[in-house]
């Protein structure tokens, strides 16, 4: 797995691996079925989580193997929080939980106003002690960056300082916004795409992630 730090956006990490690239191509393909889309989203998320969690701190704890007692490394501190942005972020939760089953799951409901492209907040629920945890925001799409920027503000208002963002596809416009507004938040993406079109869709992108995941096209 290669982690490429973008030369312009110092908080953007493109996680590069032949399996990620292969699965991303299948995800983009417009004839990919709803079932395959869901599975691919989970699989790519697992591969991103592997990289995005590699700095989680460890402590040692005494464990007994069938043969002897040793000091063994375990994750330190409170369990991380997964924060999917509804709706499409929900498609990344199971992939994340398959690697960290004890992670807490918050929810933030945001939708883009189709005309203004501004995010509208309609739901927010995270564990009360989230300021003591690392929060991993999940959303397949970073387009203008309005939605995730709003999610980050909601977290910061509640005292959360350890925040990362996992997305499948990023547009340079959204990456630039996050780099300017939240340079402290690391972004892990499978690919930085070319640009946004006039309707705020990512090119080449994969279309409307929520509609493809839930079959509401
Ligand atoms: C999509 C996507 C992101 C957002 C990205 O959601 O899942 O949340 O757009 O765009 P932005 O970076 O310009 O804010 P959408 O608003 O379409 O809602 P949905 O998931 O309910 O369909
Ligand atoms: N939201 C999506 O689902 N797709 C895009 O290309 C942009 C925003």
């Amino acid at each position: 797995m290669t982690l490429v730090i973008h030369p312009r956006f110092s908080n953007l990490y493109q996680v590069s691996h032949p399996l990620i690239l292969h699965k991303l191509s299948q995800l983009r393909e417009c004839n990919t079925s709803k079932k395959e889309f869901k599975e691919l989203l989970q699989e790519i998320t697992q591969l991103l989580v592997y990289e995005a969690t590699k700095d989680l701190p460890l402590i040692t704890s005494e464990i007994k193997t069938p043969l002897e007692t040793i000091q063994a490394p375990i994750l330190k501190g409170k369990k991380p929080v997964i924060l999917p942005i509804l709706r499409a972020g929900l498609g990344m939760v199971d992939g994340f939980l398959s690697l960290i089953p004890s992670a807490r799951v918050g929810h933030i409901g945001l939708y883009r106003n189709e005309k203004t492209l501004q995010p509208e907040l309609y739901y927010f629920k995270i564990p009360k002690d989230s300021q003591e945890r690392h929060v991993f925001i999940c959303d397949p799409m970073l387009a203008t960056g309005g939605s995730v920027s709003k999610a980050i503000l909601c977290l910061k208002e509640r005292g959360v300082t350890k925040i990362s963002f996992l997305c499948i596809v990023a547009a340079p416009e959204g990456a630039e916004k996050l780099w300017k507004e939240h340079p402290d938040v690391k972004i892990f993406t499978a690919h930085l795409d070319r640009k946004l079109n006039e309707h705020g869709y990512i090119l080449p992108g994969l279309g409307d992630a929520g509609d493809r995941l839930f079959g509401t096209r």
Side-chain angles (χ1 to χ4, degrees):
M1 196 102 77
T2 330
L3 203 55
V4 182
I5 304 176
H6 195 271
R8 220 171 112 212
F9 314 121
S10 54
N11 59 340
L12 183 96
Y13 298 82
Q14 186 163 294
V15 185
S16 203
H17 188 282
L19 287 179
I20 294 188
L21 292 173
H22 179 81
K23 288 174 191 295
L24 178 58
S25 302
Q26 291 178 308
L27 195 72
R28 291 185 194 276
E29 163 61 52
C30 62
N31 291 321
T32 292
S33 70
K34 174 176 170 288
K35 176 176 180 288
E36 289 164 331
F37 191 88
K38 185 176 176 215
E39 289 166 357
L40 288 162
L41 197 51
Q42 286 186 26
E43 289 163 7
I44 299 171
T45 302
Q46 282 178 327
L47 295 164
L48 290 182
V49 168
Y50 183 74
E51 279 297 334
T53 54
K54 76 174 185 192
D55 291 332
L56 286 183
L58 295 167
I59 48 163
T60 51
S61 172
E62 189 171 287
I63 61 152
K64 278 188 196 147
T65 79
L67 300 173
E68 59 180 5
T69 299
I70 55 164
Q71 294 295 322
I74 58 164
L75 288 177
K76 182 182 174 190
K78 295 204 179 218
K79 306 290 182 288
V81 178
I82 309 168
L83 184 63
I85 299 182
L86 307 182
R87 295 174 297 165
L90 290 174
M92 299 172 73
V93 173
D94 285 348
F96 206 124
L97 284 174
S98 68
L99 292 182
I100 311 186
S102 55
R104 308 308 191 226
V105 184
H107 291 90
I108 182 162
L110 288 166
Y111 69 90
R112 288 201 309 180
N113 180 305
E114 279 180 14
K115 290 203 179 84
T116 64
L117 298 183
Q118 291 307 304
E120 312 266 355
L121 178 72
Y122 60 89
Y123 188 78
F124 186 65
K125 180 89 180 173
I126 56 172
K128 285 200 176 62
D129 56 0
S130 291
Q131 72 282 359
E132 296 169 46
R133 301 172 186 269
H134 194 129
V135 178
F136 292 87
I137 303 172
C138 292
D139 190 327
M141 312 307 282
L142 169 61
T144 64
S147 302
V148 66
S149 184
K150 176 82 182 166
I152 294 168
L153 284 177
C154 289
L155 290 172
K156 288 185 173 174
E157 274 167 18
R158 285 157 183 85
V160 180
T161 53
K162 283 176 274 175
I163 306 170
S164 303
F165 174 48
L166 276 66
C167 62
I168 307 295
V169 177
E173 292 86 340
E176 173 134 29
K177 182 177 171 70
L178 288 192
W179 177 65
K180 283 188 178 148
E181 295 179 6
H182 305 286
D184 52 312
V185 174
K186 286 185 180 171
I187 310 163
F188 296 88
T189 188
H191 201 262
L192 183 67
D193 272 15
R194 203 171 74 251
K195 63 169 191 162
L196 295 179
N197 72 9
E198 63 277 21
H199 305 293
Y201 276 83
I202 301 172
L203 296 175
L206 49 80
D208 188 308
D211 280 349
R212 293 193 65 183
L213 180 65
F214 294 107
T216 45
R217 253 186 296 184

